[in-house]
Amino acid sequence: MIQLFIEFFKTGLFAVGGGLATLPFLQDMAVRTGWFTTAQLADMVAVSESTPGPIGVNMATYVGFTVAGVPGALVATLGLIAPSIIVILIIAAFLQAFRDNRFVNAAFYGLRPASTAMVAAAGLGVAALTLVDTAAKGLAIVNWKALALAAVILVLTRWVKVTKKWHPIIFLLASAVVGVVFAF
């Protein structure tokens, strides 16, 4: 259990860039420890991508569970997230000391529009990837099925009183079913 924590602590400490950045560490871990095979790693990626939550945490939980059951899942997950928590606590301690500094406040105030623009750009990028087929020609450039689905969801979530109050997961599940049924 200690080795499990240490392996995932190292992964959490050095895998900067999101969940997929943990893959090289997990490949190395598979070779060194024999806890799982590279084929199982591919399965872990597929399952982690399709389940809610961060991919790195999902994979750590899965590996920990296969190695030592529920306690292993908890230990591996804690090992992976511990470095982030420690770093955030250190930064928060320093930030609190500078919180009343007018230059720090101005910097954070200036970051708000930039972060808003980044989120908007990511959203528009996903929309473009989903709704536009750049390889197609003419009217086929628009993914009409996806556009119709987006329009229906917009109407159901904004203007239809009955469905407006539904939980977003219902719309996600319905969209998944429609995507499978209509093959897109």
Side-chain angles (χ1 to χ4, degrees):
M1 291 286 253
I2 293 172
Q3 183 184 6
L4 190 62
F5 181 85
I6 291 170
E7 290 294 331
F8 279 99
F9 187 89
K10 290 189 300 188
T11 301
L13 187 61
F14 296 112
V16 177
L20 292 177
T22 63
L23 284 177
F25 293 95
L26 291 172
Q27 288 171 334
D28 178 62
M29 193 184 304
V31 171
R32 283 186 301 100
T33 63
W35 289 337
F36 51 93
T37 65
T38 52
Q40 288 173 316
L41 180 59
D43 291 340
M44 282 191 289
V45 171
V47 170
S48 296
E49 286 278 0
S50 62
T51 54
I55 186 173
V57 172
N58 290 347
M59 289 194 294
T61 305
Y62 182 79
V63 170
F65 185 78
T66 58
V67 171
V70 173
L74 292 171
V75 166
T77 303
L78 287 174
L80 185 76
I81 64 171
S84 298
I85 292 171
I86 292 167
V87 168
I88 288 170
L89 289 174
I90 291 169
I91 290 171
F94 284 109
L95 184 61
Q96 192 62 32
F98 295 106
R99 187 67 186 149
D100 294 329
N101 184 310
R102 69 183 181 129
F103 296 112
V104 172
N105 285 335
F108 278 111
Y109 185 76
L111 287 173
R112 288 180 189 154
S115 62
T116 302
M118 290 176 66
V119 170
L124 290 173
V126 168
L129 285 172
T130 305
L131 302 176
V132 177
D133 182 7
T134 56
K137 303 242 190 258
L139 290 177
I141 196 167
V142 176
N143 183 344
W144 294 105
K145 292 179 189 176
L147 187 62
L149 178 61
V152 167
I153 290 174
L154 178 67
V155 168
L156 291 175
T157 59
R158 295 289 178 213
W159 296 296
V160 177
K161 276 189 177 182
V162 175
T163 58
K164 191 176 180 178
K165 296 177 184 175
W166 289 0
H167 196 277
I169 196 73
I170 294 171
F171 293 104
L172 289 172
L173 292 172
S175 297
V177 169
V178 169
V180 170
V181 169
F182 292 104
F184 69 99

